Structures are given as C-alpha cells and as structure tokens.
Amino acid sequence: MAGISVDKDAFCRRMTSLYQAWKNGDGGNGLGKADALVTAVGVDEETVYAKSTALQTWLFGYELTDTVMVLCENNIYFLASKKKVEFLKQVASEKENQEGVPAITLFIRDKSDGNKANFAKLIEAIKDSKEGKTIGVFRKDNFPGDFMDGWRKALADSEFEKVDISSAVAKVMAVKEEKEIDLIKKACQTTCDVFNKQFKEELMEVVDADKKIRHNKMAENIEASLENKKIVGNVDSNFLDMCYPPIIQSGGIYNLKFSVVSDQNKLHFGTIICALGVRYKSYCSNVVRTMFVDPSDEQQSNYNFLLTLEEEILKTLVDGTKLSSVYATAVDYVKKNKPELLKNLTKNIGFVMGIEFREGSLVLNTKTDLKASKGMVFNINIGFSNLTRKEGKGDQEKKYALFIGDTVLVNENQPATVLTQMKKKIKHVGIFLKEDDDEEEEIEQPDQLLGRGMRKAVLESKLRTDISTEDKRKSHQKELATQMNNEAKERLAQAKSDKTKVKAKKSNISYKNVAQMPKDPDIHALRIAIDKKYETVILPVFTIPTPYHISTIKNISQSVEGDYTYLRINFHHPGSSVGRLDTVTFPNPDAIFVKEVTYRSSNTKAPGESSAPAANLNTAFRLIKDVQKKFKTREAEMREKEGIVKQDTLMINPNRGNPKLKDLYIRPNITHKRIQGTLEAHTNGFRYTSVRGDKVDILYNNIQHAIFQPCDNEMVILLHFHLKNAILFANKRHVDIQFYTEVGEITTDLLKHHNIHDRDDIRSEQHERELRHKLKSAFKNFIEKVENLSKGEMEFESPFRDLGFFGVPHRSTVLLQPTSSCLLCVIEWPTFVITLEDVELVHFERVSFHIKNFDMVFIFKDYSRKVATVNSVPMNLLDQVKDWLNSCDIKYTEGVQSLNWTKIMRTIIDDPEGFFENGGWTFLDPESSGDEDDSDEEGEDSYMPTDVEDNSEETTDSEFDEESAESEFEESDESGEEELSSGEESGKDWDELEKIAAHDDKQKREQDEEEQTLSRKRKQKSQGGSSKKEETIVRT
C-alpha cells in the first residue's frame, strides 16, 4: 500500500467522536456496557456491506482486509500484514496521539505460529481495559478464512461476554461531515446522469421503435454505462460502483423492496419502475422513479398525490424529529386526503444511508424512536403497491404500483434538501402516445411479393385509414367548437360586470397665477417669448401677452417670402387630427379654439439696430422646436412607464457558485451598440450585468415562457424569456428579452477561394463543431442548475423543430416552431411568441388548391387584443399544421377569402351576446352559407376608415392590405386563365376564328373614327366660353 496516504485529521476527528460516544454511552445501545471494542475484517467477495468494513472506510478512507482492530480504554491495537502496518504508521505518530486519540500499537501478523502470540497480546490488552469482561462486536459480521477463524477461537477461549454495538456505531457515523456530503452529492449527480442519459433515453428509444427488451438486459446496460464517459462525465470510473443491481419492473409484477432482482420478463409499455444507486468512493446514493406510457387519469391523480406526500415528509424530516413521527405524519396525510390508499402504503418510507446502503437501525417506520440530526443523509422511498387500473386489459395492464425515492440531507429548522435533483412531475415521467399509432401500425407491408390485386387491396386499406383519421379530426374539432363557444359565453358573462374605465388625461396648465409669468423684456416688448421652465410659449395676441402650453401646439413652420419672415403656429383643436393621430382629448370640446396664428417680421435691419426684427422669429422657432422635442420625449417615456407592474426586489445570492453564463449579448440592446455581459441566476430571479455596468433584473415569477433555443442548424444559441408583465429598461417597455451568443461566422467572404481540402477550412469547421458542443453543454448545465436552484419554479422549454413550419409573422420568412405551451420564432428580431392557452381559434385564409400559400390568423380569448397573423405558409404543410393544432385542442377553421378582422372583432366587442346567439364562430366554417361574401366586400370598402381609428394597428394592417391585394390579384389571374382555357375548349376552327377577329377589328376602327370627330367638335365649342369658365372658378 505504498504511496497511499490517509487523511490524518479526519482519522483523529472521527476516532475522537467514537471514543466520546463510548464514554457517554448509557448502555441501552450496547456501547456503554462494552469494556473494549473489537472488529475484524476478512476477505469475502460476496459481502458488499458490513459494519466492520464501513468503520474502516470511515476512519481511513480504505478497506483493510485481514486486519484486527481492538479499541481499549487507553490504547488502540492493530494486527495486520506488514504492508498494512506501514500504511497505519501514518496515524500512529506521537503528534496524532496528542489530539485526544489513545496511543496506537501496531502488530505484524506472524504466520509461523498461526498468530497465537499476537492474539494472546490482544486478549491481554482487552482484559486490562476497564473491567475486561465484555467486548463490543458487530454480531452480523462473520468473515471466512483461517486468520478470522483463529481470532474467533481466541476470543471464545477467553469467554468474553459479547454485546452488539452496530446501532451505536451507526448513529455516530450517520451524521456526515462536509467532505462526506460532497462525496454523496457527486454520487447523486452520477446517479441522475445514469438515469437520464442511459435508462430514460433507452426507454424512449424502445417505446418509440416498439422494441422488445428484457428487464435484466436493461439493468445490465445501466451497469455498463458507468464505464461510458459520455454518461458519467469527468467522474473517475475507477471510484464508481453500483450500490445494488439496478431494478426494472413492469407488467403487473412489482415488489417495492431493494432486495429484489430484475427478472427476465419483457418490458411492458405501461407502468415501469426503475430503482438504481451509484457509489462514489464507497458513499452511496439512490433514486427511484416510476415511468408511465399513456397513464390513465386515475394513475396521474395517484402519482401526483404521491409527490405531495413526499413533500410533506421532507417538511417533517428536520433536526430533532423522531423517525417514527415522520412515518406517522405520512400515514396521517394519507388518511386525511386519500384513505383508500392507506392499505397500499409501504411499511417504511426510508432509511439512513452513507457508506452502507441501508442502516437497519435508523429506518423511518413506526418502531424507530431515534431522532434525526442535522447532517444525516436519508434515502426517502415511498410507494403504493397492489393498485388496480380499472380500464386495463389483463393483469399486465390492470395491476400497477407507484414508487418514488430520493437521497435527501437533513437540515436544521427547514425541510430536508433533495440531493438527487431530477424532474419527476407527470409530464416528465409520462410518455403519451398518439391515438392514431395503433391504426397506423396495422398497415404493414407484406413480406412477400403480391399480385396487382393484392397490392391494390393494401392501398385501399391505407386510404380508408386516412379517411377515418380525417373524420376523427373533424369530430374532435366539432367537440372543440361546442366547448369553445360555451367557454366564451361564460368568460363574457364574468367580464360583463367589469367595465373598463377610460382614463381622463390631465390638462396641462402653464401658470396657476399671474405671478408665475417670467419678467422677460421680450414680453413687455410684445415679442414672442419661450419659458423653458414651465414649457410655455408666450404670444402677443391683440397687444396682450398670452401663454400657451407647449402641448397645445401641433406644429410650427417658418418661411421667408421677399423681405419678410413668416412664423406659422398651428394648434391642436377638435378635428385637427382625423383618425389615427387623433390622440388628444379635450375637456371642453364645445369651446372656441384658436386654429392657427401667423406672425410676420421684416428681414431688413434698421439703422442703428444690431439685428433684423426677424431674428426674434428665428430664435422663437428654434426654441419652440427644442421645448417641443423635450416635452414629446418625456411624454413618450411616461407612456412607456404607464401600466408597468412593479416587480419584487431581486434577492441577491452572495455565493460565488451561482449559475452563470458569460459573454452573452442581450436583445433588445441596452445601448445603440450591442455589448456583452454576464447572466447570473439568484434566489428569485436573473440579473444581467453588461461590461459597462448596466443591470437588467428578471424575476422567476414574472416569466411566462423560458425558452432554450439550441444551436442545432442555427447560427446562434440563446435563452429567451417571454414575460407576464413588461419591464422597463433603456427607457422602453419590453415583454420579450433574450440572451444569446453567436456560433461560428455569420458572414462569409464569397470572393475567397475555398478548397474542400484546405487545412484552414477543415480546422475552422472542427473548431466550430467543438464550440457548438461546448456552448450547448454550458447552456444545458446552466439550465439544470437554475431549475434546481429555483426548486421547480423555473422550467425551460425547447422548440420541436420537427413540427416547425415556415411563415411570415412580420416581414421576413422564418421557421415557426412549437413548444409544449407556445408557438414561437426567437432567432430573428422582432420575435414572435404566442401562448397557446391564450388562443381561442385559428383561422386559415386563402385556402385554395391553386394558391401555393395560405395565411394563419390567431384569434385570442381576449377579444380586445389584436389578432396575430402569419402569412405565406406553404400549402403542403396545411395538414401538418392541422394535426398539430388538433393535438393541442385548438379549434381551427378555413376559408378562401381574406377577412377584415378589425371590423369583425369590433362587431363582436360591441355586441358579444348577439354574436354568440347568431352562432358565434360558425360563420367561419366552410359548410356555412355564402352570405358572408357580401359582408366581406363591405368590410374591404370600409377598411380604411376603420384603420384610421386604430392607432396601434398601423403597420400590420397595411401589410395585411398588401397581402390581401396580392392574393386577390393572384386569384383574378387564375380565374382569367381558367376562362381562357374554357374558351379554347369550346371547339371553333381556325377559319371561323379569323372571320370573328376581322369583324372585331372593323368595329373598333369605326368607333375610333367617331370618337375623333366628337373630340374636334368639343374643342371648337370650348374656345368661345373659356374666359367665362375661369372667372367662375376664381369666384368659387
């Protein structure tokens, strides 16, 4: 054992605590009765856990086989081989003995006399310790071998009384030190990695491909994964081992114990229980999870209850609590909430673990009255056995069990900390298959070559299946339509009493009294004066200085005509801004308003004057512009701040180990130029700090969607946050904020000559692949740490690229990708994020076979919210989009024309009861009557005035009009082509067509000649009365 060192400080500290427990022992646990403590460790490959080997590992960090240790009152004796004695000399120095540890004496084994002399010395030492009659031993430890047999014979000949000290020593070892907790945490992390990266991935692959695999084979794959660096990461595999063979159970046969072995039955796609634990440097960890394939509602309900039960247990398991009372809390909780499950509850709900996997004297059941202490590590495992699934077919589906387990750390005055941080909600452990899978699996290609008739039969069968799938989708949509209308009526009935109050804008007043007017010489000289303090323009009106607040001025203009300069001031008044710009409210619109004022001044400088009179107008024009600009800027900022919900204060976590991502850009930019910064997760939110010192705080409770967009097939990798309430930074309110970094080169020099074998290019491509992998790992680690830190409050989603489709939500074509809760495109700015829960209906416009694209319109449950439009979606993706919406339980309709949604939504808001009495959204169904065509044409005619009234929809509505115009143009072209083709098919020969063409040409020439004659006559008549007509125009 040369080169192996022992932690001397840990040895002295732990040996001292053991002697202290021996000294304070009351005799109830055996330790107080013992006059000496004796342990002997032999060689037994079949024995995995033994108290003697655990004690050695706890003291030295290593297992010393064929070694006898005797702890006397004033001495410690070791009997071992020469190499082990050399190792033990590290702790036998005088310096170590001064730390409160008794003197250590080392004996080397002597095979010549069968160690009789050494045994006699140890027996004599035991007799000299205290009374020398009783020895403390570990009764269950019985190692084989000649050396062990000789030692046991020597003890038996001395006729010592034996007491079991297993539980007393276990209690001393149960409270873990910081180093021990760190080792257990590493073991827990490895356990989670093996479960997620090996078992879970393999299970998903097996279910997806409908493979057959046996339980014991999956268990062997889990054990083999400890050698896989991709799974265990940077952990040294030499220090890893399984606590017990992994347990996989399914198919109605369940035993919720850790002593069972995975059988040879094939995996059943129903309820699957997996239990596994990894040891790291002899310290154990454990995790148990129940996986589901298409669970029923009852199973989900029972599983969710099991999760809440575990949370209650963790709340009770604190320092100073009796272990029996923890079990009693669990029983009481089940009695109170689901008494029918009490008979199915496991007989114990956990035990202390550490170097040994299970400590039998510290179990969470009705019999253990020992108290939990801070620093103890428990394996909490609770379950319900012998449950029945009512709708199941056969024992494999009917019988099931639920079992979950975690490794937890006991704290003081707060719930136990879960060390195996793995997601275990039903959406994370449930695999939900599509209902159509069974029908699609029935359509299999025949193994042998069939005749034409047989192949046709297969195709017809497939066609019938497709039709049935479409019918199923239609029937589901009918159910959704009824449900949607009922929910909308209830929602409107609830909102009927909540009437929105229009905020009256406060009028701006220049001066409250005359004393506030400035004493400016320009005012007394009846010149235009500007008071910057009160943002007021003082104009001379009929020789009286009259103040006008800057908010009353609409615009000003200056012009020079000859020797004079003109300054024209236009004021806001009712009717001055029609439609979109009419945002100014007037408290008294029936009053008399000044529309405009024009001042004129000479440009000629009088003798003796320093400047021309027009200089005052030039100065006034410039100052009014400056004051007006500052006022509008301040008003814009106030509008941005209006409606901002005050956020909670970010609780800064002072630990340096907070999850952190460096060198990230933020969108939207804080300044005009993009700058890098660091995103750091704290107790209740994120803080982004730029290199310039700017700070942006985002709280967890204000995040509606947290999106992780990986860099697969993209040039950026980012985290996007869609907020519930807008936050303010850079003087603007923002609902969408993202943090990103670029991967590789976004721009490429096209003039550069590229060779496929160019070493620089190959090296750069390799570097980009490595960078992508590095960034992806860093972002994933950050996300996992944040989810653990927030205790489930934060959950990140990733888009499903396979379900994506192209469209134009703003101006450019992008790939729109759905997640589990929204539809989004966050790669390009501005982003597009739609929460699926907010969507009531999706309408497809311009759905026609002769058009390549169609449009999607999202109508929200909040009818006052403007509809969202995605244009130019490829027509070949229509069925894919329909399937996705149908799976999300979202009603969709389709039509040929583009509708005026502004007018439709306004009609609904004005009279929602009447709208739903007339059928609600049924007018969008293709089967409904065609009377809507006329109303749509009316809507197009009245579209411009409607848009003028709505300020917020200026940009999008204009794009909508252009798109609809293009679509109408395409339709007209198509219809024209159809008419031409139908004319060509009417059947006239070439001679008849030439005669018709000649006749048409002759008629056209005659019409042209008549028009020329009439135009000459009109010109002759108009020359005589032209002067009289001009006078009329002038007079009008």
Side-chain angles (χ1 to χ4, degrees), residues 138-151:
F138 301 126
R139 288 192 182 277
K140 291 185 179 180
D141 292 358
N142 189 16
F143 290 92
D146 295 338
F147 178 64
M148 291 293 106
D149 292 340
W151 172 241

PDB file of all heavy atoms in Angstrom, residues 138-151:
ATOM      1  N   PHE A 138     -19.623  -6.513  16.206  1.00  0.00           N
ATOM      2  CA  PHE A 138     -20.683  -6.441  15.196  1.00  0.00           C
ATOM      3  C   PHE A 138     -21.140  -7.882  14.951  1.00  0.00           C
ATOM      4  O   PHE A 138     -20.447  -8.649  14.275  1.00  0.00           O
ATOM      5  CB  PHE A 138     -20.169  -5.795  13.907  1.00  0.00           C
ATOM      6  CG  PHE A 138     -19.646  -4.390  14.109  1.00  0.00           C
ATOM      7  CD1 PHE A 138     -18.378  -4.036  13.698  1.00  0.00           C
ATOM      8  CD2 PHE A 138     -20.440  -3.429  14.715  1.00  0.00           C
ATOM      9  CE1 PHE A 138     -17.901  -2.749  13.869  1.00  0.00           C
ATOM     10  CE2 PHE A 138     -19.967  -2.139  14.896  1.00  0.00           C
ATOM     11  CZ  PHE A 138     -18.679  -1.798  14.488  1.00  0.00           C
ATOM     12  N   ARG A 139     -22.278  -8.259  15.517  1.00  0.00           N
ATOM     13  CA  ARG A 139     -22.715  -9.659  15.510  1.00  0.00           C
ATOM     14  C   ARG A 139     -22.897 -10.214  14.100  1.00  0.00           C
ATOM     15  O   ARG A 139     -22.637 -11.392  13.870  1.00  0.00           O
ATOM     16  CB  ARG A 139     -24.033  -9.795  16.292  1.00  0.00           C
ATOM     17  CG  ARG A 139     -23.857  -9.655  17.798  1.00  0.00           C
ATOM     18  CD  ARG A 139     -25.140 -10.084  18.510  1.00  0.00           C
ATOM     19  NE  ARG A 139     -25.043  -9.917  19.958  1.00  0.00           N
ATOM     20  CZ  ARG A 139     -24.492 -10.774  20.766  1.00  0.00           C
ATOM     21  NH1 ARG A 139     -23.964 -11.891  20.276  1.00  0.00           N
ATOM     22  NH2 ARG A 139     -24.457 -10.567  22.073  1.00  0.00           N
ATOM     23  N   LYS A 140     -23.366  -9.389  13.166  1.00  0.00           N
ATOM     24  CA  LYS A 140     -23.674  -9.898  11.826  1.00  0.00           C
ATOM     25  C   LYS A 140     -22.424 -10.122  10.975  1.00  0.00           C
ATOM     26  O   LYS A 140     -22.488 -10.794   9.953  1.00  0.00           O
ATOM     27  CB  LYS A 140     -24.607  -8.923  11.106  1.00  0.00           C
ATOM     28  CG  LYS A 140     -26.003  -8.862  11.689  1.00  0.00           C
ATOM     29  CD  LYS A 140     -26.907  -7.973  10.857  1.00  0.00           C
ATOM     30  CE  LYS A 140     -28.325  -7.941  11.425  1.00  0.00           C
ATOM     31  NZ  LYS A 140     -29.221  -7.071  10.627  1.00  0.00           N
ATOM     32  N   ASP A 141     -21.288  -9.558  11.396  1.00  0.00           N
ATOM     33  CA  ASP A 141     -20.070  -9.710  10.601  1.00  0.00           C
ATOM     34  C   ASP A 141     -19.399 -11.035  10.950  1.00  0.00           C
ATOM     35  O   ASP A 141     -19.030 -11.274  12.121  1.00  0.00           O
ATOM     36  CB  ASP A 141     -19.103  -8.556  10.886  1.00  0.00           C
ATOM     37  CG  ASP A 141     -19.627  -7.237  10.374  1.00  0.00           C
ATOM     38  OD1 ASP A 141     -20.714  -7.249   9.767  1.00  0.00           O
ATOM     39  OD2 ASP A 141     -18.965  -6.194  10.569  1.00  0.00           O
ATOM     40  N   ASN A 142     -19.262 -11.894   9.970  1.00  0.00           N
ATOM     41  CA  ASN A 142     -18.663 -13.221  10.182  1.00  0.00           C
ATOM     42  C   ASN A 142     -17.881 -13.587   8.928  1.00  0.00           C
ATOM     43  O   ASN A 142     -18.355 -14.309   8.060  1.00  0.00           O
ATOM     44  CB  ASN A 142     -19.753 -14.248  10.477  1.00  0.00           C
ATOM     45  CG  ASN A 142     -19.181 -15.583  10.926  1.00  0.00           C
ATOM     46  OD1 ASN A 142     -18.014 -15.667  11.303  1.00  0.00           O
ATOM     47  ND2 ASN A 142     -19.997 -16.616  10.859  1.00  0.00           N
ATOM     48  N   PHE A 143     -16.649 -13.049   8.828  1.00  0.00           N
ATOM     49  CA  PHE A 143     -15.836 -13.247   7.631  1.00  0.00           C
ATOM     50  C   PHE A 143     -15.168 -14.621   7.646  1.00  0.00           C
ATOM     51  O   PHE A 143     -14.742 -15.102   8.710  1.00  0.00           O
ATOM     52  CB  PHE A 143     -14.758 -12.159   7.545  1.00  0.00           C
ATOM     53  CG  PHE A 143     -15.314 -10.792   7.241  1.00  0.00           C
ATOM     54  CD1 PHE A 143     -15.645  -9.924   8.274  1.00  0.00           C
ATOM     55  CD2 PHE A 143     -15.528 -10.387   5.938  1.00  0.00           C
ATOM     56  CE1 PHE A 143     -16.152  -8.666   8.007  1.00  0.00           C
ATOM     57  CE2 PHE A 143     -16.045  -9.133   5.664  1.00  0.00           C
ATOM     58  CZ  PHE A 143     -16.363  -8.264   6.701  1.00  0.00           C
ATOM     59  N   PRO A 144     -15.041 -15.274   6.519  1.00  0.00           N
ATOM     60  CA  PRO A 144     -14.376 -16.582   6.445  1.00  0.00           C
ATOM     61  C   PRO A 144     -12.848 -16.421   6.407  1.00  0.00           C
ATOM     62  O   PRO A 144     -12.323 -15.316   6.315  1.00  0.00           O
ATOM     63  CB  PRO A 144     -14.921 -17.157   5.130  1.00  0.00           C
ATOM     64  CG  PRO A 144     -15.181 -15.944   4.271  1.00  0.00           C
ATOM     65  CD  PRO A 144     -15.592 -14.847   5.215  1.00  0.00           C
ATOM     66  N   GLY A 145     -12.154 -17.555   6.478  1.00  0.00           N
ATOM     67  CA  GLY A 145     -10.691 -17.560   6.383  1.00  0.00           C
ATOM     68  C   GLY A 145     -10.045 -18.066   7.648  1.00  0.00           C
ATOM     69  O   GLY A 145     -10.598 -17.986   8.748  1.00  0.00           O
ATOM     70  N   ASP A 146      -8.815 -18.608   7.498  1.00  0.00           N
ATOM     71  CA  ASP A 146      -8.079 -19.184   8.636  1.00  0.00           C
ATOM     72  C   ASP A 146      -7.752 -18.112   9.667  1.00  0.00           C
ATOM     73  O   ASP A 146      -7.817 -18.370  10.890  1.00  0.00           O
ATOM     74  CB  ASP A 146      -6.790 -19.848   8.133  1.00  0.00           C
ATOM     75  CG  ASP A 146      -7.082 -21.044   7.235  1.00  0.00           C
ATOM     76  OD1 ASP A 146      -8.203 -21.600   7.346  1.00  0.00           O
ATOM     77  OD2 ASP A 146      -6.212 -21.401   6.429  1.00  0.00           O
ATOM     78  N   PHE A 147      -7.346 -16.927   9.198  1.00  0.00           N
ATOM     79  CA  PHE A 147      -6.975 -15.865  10.123  1.00  0.00           C
ATOM     80  C   PHE A 147      -8.177 -15.457  10.982  1.00  0.00           C
ATOM     81  O   PHE A 147      -8.061 -15.286  12.201  1.00  0.00           O
ATOM     82  CB  PHE A 147      -6.448 -14.671   9.321  1.00  0.00           C
ATOM     83  CG  PHE A 147      -6.066 -13.492  10.166  1.00  0.00           C
ATOM     84  CD1 PHE A 147      -5.037 -13.587  11.082  1.00  0.00           C
ATOM     85  CD2 PHE A 147      -6.730 -12.280  10.045  1.00  0.00           C
ATOM     86  CE1 PHE A 147      -4.678 -12.502  11.876  1.00  0.00           C
ATOM     87  CE2 PHE A 147      -6.389 -11.196  10.828  1.00  0.00           C
ATOM     88  CZ  PHE A 147      -5.351 -11.303  11.752  1.00  0.00           C
ATOM     89  N   MET A 148      -9.347 -15.316  10.352  1.00  0.00           N
ATOM     90  CA  MET A 148     -10.557 -14.937  11.076  1.00  0.00           C
ATOM     91  C   MET A 148     -11.009 -16.049  12.026  1.00  0.00           C
ATOM     92  O   MET A 148     -11.429 -15.773  13.162  1.00  0.00           O
ATOM     93  CB  MET A 148     -11.689 -14.610  10.076  1.00  0.00           C
ATOM     94  CG  MET A 148     -11.466 -13.340   9.268  1.00  0.00           C
ATOM     95  SD  MET A 148     -11.521 -11.836  10.271  1.00  0.00           S
ATOM     96  CE  MET A 148      -9.772 -11.420  10.335  1.00  0.00           C
ATOM     97  N   ASP A 149     -10.867 -17.307  11.582  1.00  0.00           N
ATOM     98  CA  ASP A 149     -11.256 -18.430  12.452  1.00  0.00           C
ATOM     99  C   ASP A 149     -10.365 -18.490  13.693  1.00  0.00           C
ATOM    100  O   ASP A 149     -10.845 -18.751  14.815  1.00  0.00           O
ATOM    101  CB  ASP A 149     -11.162 -19.746  11.673  1.00  0.00           C
ATOM    102  CG  ASP A 149     -12.220 -19.846  10.572  1.00  0.00           C
ATOM    103  OD1 ASP A 149     -13.231 -19.101  10.671  1.00  0.00           O
ATOM    104  OD2 ASP A 149     -12.015 -20.630   9.631  1.00  0.00           O
ATOM    105  N   GLY A 150      -9.083 -18.257  13.508  1.00  0.00           N
ATOM    106  CA  GLY A 150      -8.158 -18.268  14.646  1.00  0.00           C
ATOM    107  C   GLY A 150      -8.472 -17.163  15.646  1.00  0.00           C
ATOM    108  O   GLY A 150      -8.399 -17.378  16.872  1.00  0.00           O
ATOM    109  N   TRP A 151      -8.826 -15.986  15.148  1.00  0.00           N
ATOM    110  CA  TRP A 151      -9.150 -14.879  16.053  1.00  0.00           C
ATOM    111  C   TRP A 151     -10.444 -15.156  16.827  1.00  0.00           C
ATOM    112  O   TRP A 151     -10.518 -14.900  18.032  1.00  0.00           O
ATOM    113  CB  TRP A 151      -9.256 -13.592  15.239  1.00  0.00           C
ATOM    114  CG  TRP A 151      -9.769 -12.403  16.008  1.00  0.00           C
ATOM    115  CD1 TRP A 151     -10.891 -11.688  15.749  1.00  0.00           C
ATOM    116  CD2 TRP A 151      -9.188 -11.809  17.161  1.00  0.00           C
ATOM    117  NE1 TRP A 151     -11.049 -10.685  16.667  1.00  0.00           N
ATOM    118  CE2 TRP A 151      -9.999 -10.730  17.560  1.00  0.00           C
ATOM    119  CE3 TRP A 151      -8.051 -12.111  17.929  1.00  0.00           C
ATOM    120  CZ2 TRP A 151      -9.734  -9.947  18.660  1.00  0.00           C
ATOM    121  CZ3 TRP A 151      -7.768 -11.316  19.031  1.00  0.00           C
ATOM    122  CH2 TRP A 151      -8.601 -10.234  19.404  1.00  0.00           C
TER     123      TRP A 151
END
